[in-house]
Structure formats: C-alpha cells, structure tokens
Amino acid sequence: MPEPPRPATAGPTPLAPDGVLAAGERAAADLAGAAERTATAQLTPPGTAQLTAPATAQLATPAPVRLGDVVPTPDRVTPDPTADHLLRPDAVIRVSADPAALAVGEQLAALLRPATGYPLPVTDSVTPSPTGGIALDLTGDTDLGPEGYRLDIATDRVRLRAGTAAGLHHGVQTLRQLFPAAIESPRPVTARWVLPGGSIVDRPRYPWRGAMLDVARHFFDVPDVLRVIDHLARYKLNRLHLHLTDDQGWRIAIDSWPRLAPIGGAGAVGGDPGGHYTQADYRRIVAYAAARHITVVPEIDLPGHTNAALVAYPELAPDRVAPPPYTGTEVGFSYVDPARERTYDFVADVLGEIAALTPGRWLHIGGDEAFKVPAEVYARFVARVQRIVAGLGRTVIGWHQIAPAAHTDGRVLQWWGTNGDDPVTAEAVRRGATVILSPGNHAYLDMKYAPDTPIGHDWAGLIDVRRSYDWDPGTHLTGVPADAVLGVEAPLWTESVTTLAEIEFMLLPRLPALAEQGWSPRSTHDWDGFRRRLAGHGTRWATAGIAYHSGPDVPWPAPAGPVPAPRQPSGFADQAGREPAGRTAEPPAGG
Ligand code: TNX
C-alpha cells in the first residue's frame, strides 16, 4: 500500500478547537470507562460485591493464566501444568543480599500486596528457600545477557534468577502478568493467587526499547511522567526519551540561561497552561526511571523547533528579535542562529547542565525539520553540536535528518520515516552510525487508530494495533543491516494530547505491540497469538484504573455478566489521572 507523503510543513492535523478536544477527552473516558465496566464485571460474579467494595469482596476462582500468556512474549516457555503454584498468605520474598536486587524484591512486594492483602515480607537471604516463597536470585552470570532472566515456577516455590538487577526486574514483570488479572486491583480482593507451573528463559532481542513523551507541546507534571514510566516498565521497555524543548515550550530549568524555563516554558499548544521541571523534578524522574531500570534520554531539539528559546533569548534569533510565543502546531519555521558564536555557548551550557543531571549515556540533539537552515550550514551546525556532546563524554542521538553530518563515534540516528528506502540514512550507517527505528507509520503513538479516533494525527496514516505490531525492525530499512539496528522506540507527540488519560489512551494497547517488537525473537512473531495475549491486558488496565483504547482488532474479553455501575460515573479522568494509592511511591532506598 503506498504510504501517504508527509506534507513539507507541519503535517499534524490542525489543533481541534476546545470543544472538540473536550469531546475527545470524553470519548477516551467513555471508552476507558466501558473497559473498566467490562473488567469489573469479569472480576465480580453478578450480584455479589464489586471490586470497589471493601477488602472482603468475593471473587470467582479465575482460570489460571497460561505460562505463555506474557507480553512481550518470552524467548522460551516450557509449561508444566502439574506444577502450578499457589501463593500462600504467609509467603516470603527472599532476595540476594544486594541493594539493587533488594529494591526489585521490594517492588515485587509492592505490586502484590495491594490486591492480595498479604504482608509479603522481603528478606535478604535467597537460601534456605522453604516452601511457599518467591526467591529472587542475583547470580552474576552473564549467559542471559545484561537483561535476561530465568523463572521457574514449581508447586512448592517460585524462583527467579538473573545475572543483573535489570534481569530480575524484567522477570518480576513477567511474574506479575502470570498472576490472575485481579492482582492489578489497588484494593484487596479474595482470590486464589495461582501461578502457572513451568519455566521461562527470556532475554531481549534489542538493547534499545523505548518510548518518547513530548512534554513540550503540552506539559505533563512529574506524577504523570512517573505513571508513564510504570507503563514502560510493565512491558520491559528500558528507555524514556523526553522531548524537553520545542517551539511551544521549554520545559527544563537551566541555571546558566535562567529565562529559558519560566519564559520559554510559560505556554503550550492551544494556549493551554505551560510549565517546566525544576532540576530537582528532573532528577526525581531520572531516579524513578532508574529504579525501574529505565534510562532517561533527554532531548534538546536543535537548531529548529526553538521558538520558545528565542522568546526567552532573542539574541539567539537570526534577526535578534523576540518572536511571539507560539501556540500553534506548525513546524519548521524557527531556528537558533548557526552563524553566531553565542549560539554555541548556549548549546554547550544547556547540554552541559543536562549532562550533569543525566546519568545515562545519551544526549538527544533533535535535528528534525530545520527547514530554514541551508543544508550545508545545517550539517556544519550538527557536526559541531556532536563534538560538544562528545566533549561531555556522552553519545549523541539525533532524528535521522542529522544523517548527512559527519560521523562521530557511536552516533545514533532515530529514524522516523514512512518509507524504508532511505539512502541517506543507509549511507550514514555505512559510515558507522547505528539506528533506532521509530517508523512514523508503525511506531508513532500520536497517529489515530481509526478515522474516528477523537485525538491524534494522521499524516503517517492510521495505526491500529495490527499496524503497530506487523513490521520487522530487523529488515525495515533498505541497505541497513540488522546488526546496525539498536532497537525500537515509540514516540508520543502531544499536540492534541492534553491529559494523562489521553496519554494512556494513545499508548495502550499499541505500546505493548512495540515493546514486543523490541523484546521478542522474530521467530515468535504471530499476530493472532499476540492479539489473544494482549486481550487479557484490557482487564488488567481497567482493574488498575488505566485508560486504554479498546479497538476492534483485539478480542477483548466480553463481560461475564450484567454490567455493574462504573466506579466513578463522571470522574474517569480523575480516577485515571492520578496514581492509585500505593503506586506513587518513590523508589525504595537503594534503588
Ligand atoms: C513530526 S517526528 C515531528 C514533530 C511533530 C510530529 C507530529 C519529528 C522528529 N518531528 O515535531 O510533533 O511530526 O506527528
């Protein structure tokens, strides 16, 4: 099918007027509300207490989840139906005496305590391992790579082994999915907490499995970002790319250029409220992500997408005149002056502060859509900024538009095209670059699912769940060998996305599809199997109060009985928009 070309300027669908956005928000809330009703019905035998009822709620014995019913699908699964494990109320979580492993153990306990109501104490001795417990064993072995794990579920105990804390963390996400869906309840429910018996040996296909959140077009505060991090962790993603700056907003405080955040960050698309992260906020996000083995990749978009910076510092503008704050959704009109030394001071200062706040290896310099900068000037600018990043001891990433610039050690191109035949990117790869794949027509989470999706764009086409799943990162780009592909990343641009519930609505269920592309071996790729596994997650999200799009290409489970009243008939956004009790906790000490 021919792919629609991207218009030269600003393809995004024009911003809907307020009324339409409000309708979109309502539609998202309605869909999520319906999903929650479905899930509540499933979890609650008709005529008995609902999930919302107090701790004594009764629950029909759920059918045990099958060992292979995990997203992303594991590398190797060996079920043993004779070895199902019943979690006992007095179960203990035993962990290797290592701070990072103990932090994973505490997170497992925190995931299981609300629904089970069990105390689940965490101790720092894996052995002896009496019956009824869960052991998290940090082995130090490297045979499963830096993120792999092995899970053995037997009648008398559960044992998770990994060479690294990251591997244990991923194994915990698998374990979580193997419990009945009611494990997602923020309140105690009575259930048989049965795990399916057998073994899983698992490791990721790619080292880079990311999502991007655009906090520049609309600003999202720290609790929202932490909740997005939770969603990434659930599907074993390991990178959160934050698009921190754009024409509409500068979202991070920079001490050496103090007007950037308060002035450049004052607004947002559509005249919506702006905002910015203090450096302490940003550190909090970075620490919360790190405790979930997710590396934050900050992006300062250069030389274009810089209107907000120019509002604060007109000296960076080619004509030295402050432009008005921008609240529209066009792109490609702004740039910092590449001919002025002061611009490179600005870049070095900003990237220097960001690097000092960011423990991760990567700095993203944007580079997209600088339409007003001539090609040669642009290539020289990018080469110089790449050297600044290298001077900070970091690895540079840019959108694939930086491909023509000179190669620099380790540089990474984030490819967002819609046609895999891209000779300029292929040539940059021949010169040594590696690639992260974010194909606009498969991985862009801001695209609509269907023509009637209330929010989102369609310049890269419509992306239903199947489209986000059915492509192969290993062969997607002509002339780019599989070993030059670092992995995949799903960007969520937020021109039309204004609330946490809308973020979730666009993320789910497509994020798990992208996560499976990044994690699971190609040999396991199977749309029918995937959508069947994914379907069960609707119940989990609804139980946890997470919004999602229940589109027609996934066989979401039908309600088990009469649909009970929703928990909060008119307040879905509130319910989904804030962390349920017990989920906002900062990482445990040592994490
Ligand atoms: C293109 S993808 C952009 C963004 C827009 C997005 C909307 C990329 C590197 N640039 O500035 O937000 O399209 O889909």
Side-chain angles (χ1 to χ4, degrees):
M1 189 174 71
E3 290 167 350
R6 171 113 210 257
T9 57
T13 310
L15 181 74
D18 282 346
V20 178
L21 268 185
E25 201 172 324
R26 269 201 308 281
D30 287 350
L31 281 165
E36 188 190 4
R37 286 194 288 284
T38 302
T40 307
Q42 283 188 308
L43 291 166
T44 312
T48 65
Q50 291 178 26
L51 189 59
T52 50
T56 51
Q58 288 302 307
L59 196 73
T61 302
V65 177
R66 295 191 308 185
L67 191 69
D69 279 349
V70 173
V71 178
T73 202
D75 193 343
R76 267 176 291 155
V77 179
T78 314
D80 178 355
T82 67
D84 287 2
H85 179 92
L86 176 66
L87 187 73
R88 291 176 10 177
D90 60 353
V92 171
I93 297 177
R94 295 170 196 282
V95 189
S96 301
D98 169 276
L102 280 164
V104 175
E106 289 293 353
Q107 286 169 3
L108 173 61
L111 291 174
L112 304 182
R113 281 177 192 138
T116 62
Y118 299 168
L120 299 170
V122 178
T123 79
D124 69 354
S125 63
V126 206
T127 50
S129 182
T131 56
I134 302 179
L136 269 53
D137 190 350
L138 186 66
T139 62
D141 295 349
T142 52
D143 49 335
L144 288 173
E147 295 187 283
Y149 66 92
R150 180 185 173 108
L151 176 64
D152 296 292
I153 300 174
T155 317
D156 61 346
R157 68 168 184 173
V158 175
R159 188 163 179 210
L160 176 59
R161 275 174 284 180
T164 62
L168 288 178
H169 169 82
H170 296 318
V172 159
Q173 308 315 313
T174 295
L175 200 49
R176 176 186 198 178
Q177 292 185 24
L178 294 174
F179 278 102
I183 200 71
E184 299 292 338
S185 169
R187 279 169 289 279
V189 284
T190 306
R192 293 182 71 242
W193 301 110
V194 186
L195 290 164
S199 301
I200 290 179
V201 181
D202 202 9
R203 60 190 300 170
R205 179 181 183 189
Y206 291 113
W208 190 289
R209 304 175 309 279
M212 186 208 79
L213 182 64
D214 170 10
V215 295
R217 270 53 178 273
H218 279 99
F219 180 67
F220 299 94
D221 62 13
V222 174
D224 288 357
V225 177
L226 302 191
R227 174 139 158 153
V228 168
I229 289 170
D230 287 341
H231 300 338
L232 267 51
R234 198 185 265 268
Y235 295 104
K236 303 187 175 80
L237 299 185
N238 62 359
R239 305 281 183 263
L240 172 66
H241 167 183
L242 285 177
H243 182 75
L244 289 167
T245 66
D246 213 302
D247 291 317
Q248 299 86 347
W250 184 284
R251 306 300 184 199
I252 176 100
I254 301 293
D255 292 342
S256 52
W257 293 71
R259 291 203 301 273
L260 284 170
I263 294 176
V269 164
D272 288 336
H276 68 267
Y277 306 119
T278 64
Q279 295 200 349
D281 289 339
Y282 179 81
R283 284 187 201 275
R284 195 173 153 215
I285 291 170
V286 166
Y288 189 88
R292 284 145 189 84
H293 300 276
I294 292 172
T295 303
V296 170
V297 180
E299 178 186 352
I300 303 295
D301 204 347
L302 297 162
H305 290 271
T306 40
N307 192 78
L310 305 182
V311 173
Y313 288 100
E315 68 200 84
L316 302 171
D319 59 4
R320 317 276 179 263
V321 175
Y326 187 65
T327 59
T329 60
E330 294 297 307
V331 296
F333 56 89
S334 63
Y335 61 104
V336 290
D337 187 354
R340 214 176 166 221
E341 274 311 298
R342 191 76 184 127
T343 294
Y344 299 93
D345 295 342
F346 160 79
V347 171
D349 291 345
V350 168
L351 292 180
E353 286 194 36
I354 299 282
L357 294 169
T358 307
R361 222 175 94 190
W362 298 277
L363 294 182
H364 199 305
I365 60 165
D368 55 321
E369 301 172 319
F371 297 138
K372 297 237 169 113
V373 183
E376 276 159 37
V377 177
Y378 171 87
R380 276 199 304 276
F381 175 89
V382 169
R384 190 159 168 190
V385 175
Q386 289 181 161
R387 287 197 296 276
I388 293 173
V389 172
L392 292 165
R394 301 305 166 95
T395 300
V396 73
I397 304 188
W399 298 105
H400 72 266
Q401 277 71 27
I402 71 166
H407 181 68
T408 180
D409 251 8
R411 84 178 180 140
V412 180
L413 309 183
Q414 184 169 7
W415 189 82
W416 60 284
T418 54
N419 172 357
D421 188 10
D422 176 351
V424 183
T425 295
E427 166 57 20
V429 168
R430 272 191 291 280
R431 287 186 281 130
T434 53
V435 186
I436 297 164
L437 286 172
S438 300
N441 53 339
H442 294 283
Y444 263 38
L445 297 175
D446 60 320
M447 294 301 129
K448 292 172 183 260
Y449 292 91
D452 61 351
T453 306
I455 53 174
H457 301 147
D458 60 7
W459 64 258
L462 301 170
I463 304 184
D464 56 14
V465 186
R466 181 163 196 169
R467 199 163 177 79
S468 55
Y469 180 76
D470 259 348
W471 60 288
D472 181 4
T475 56
H476 195 74
L477 281 180
T478 310
V480 171
D483 63 3
V485 175
L486 263 190
V488 301
E489 187 175 300
L492 179 58
W493 302 99
T494 58
E495 286 94 336
S496 69
V497 177
T498 60
T499 64
L500 177 65
E502 289 176 356
I503 290 179
E504 292 178 338
F505 178 79
M506 298 306 263
L507 237 50
L508 301 170
R510 293 180 292 194
L511 187 71
L514 273 315
E516 181 144 326
Q517 290 292 66
W519 180 281
S520 305
R522 186 65 193 170
S523 58
T524 63
H525 192 89
D526 165 26
W527 165 244
D528 278 327
F530 174 71
R531 64 189 191 131
R532 189 190 50 71
R533 277 180 288 117
L534 183 63
H537 289 239
T539 315
R540 289 172 191 271
W541 299 326
T543 305
I546 301 167
Y548 70 101
H549 172 75
S550 53
D553 52 353
V554 176
W556 307 109
V563 177
R567 180 157 41 185
Q568 285 183 350
S570 62
F572 175 75
D574 277 355
Q575 173 230 319
R578 293 291 150 230
E579 297 260 336
R583 305 284 288 283
T584 42
E586 289 288 353

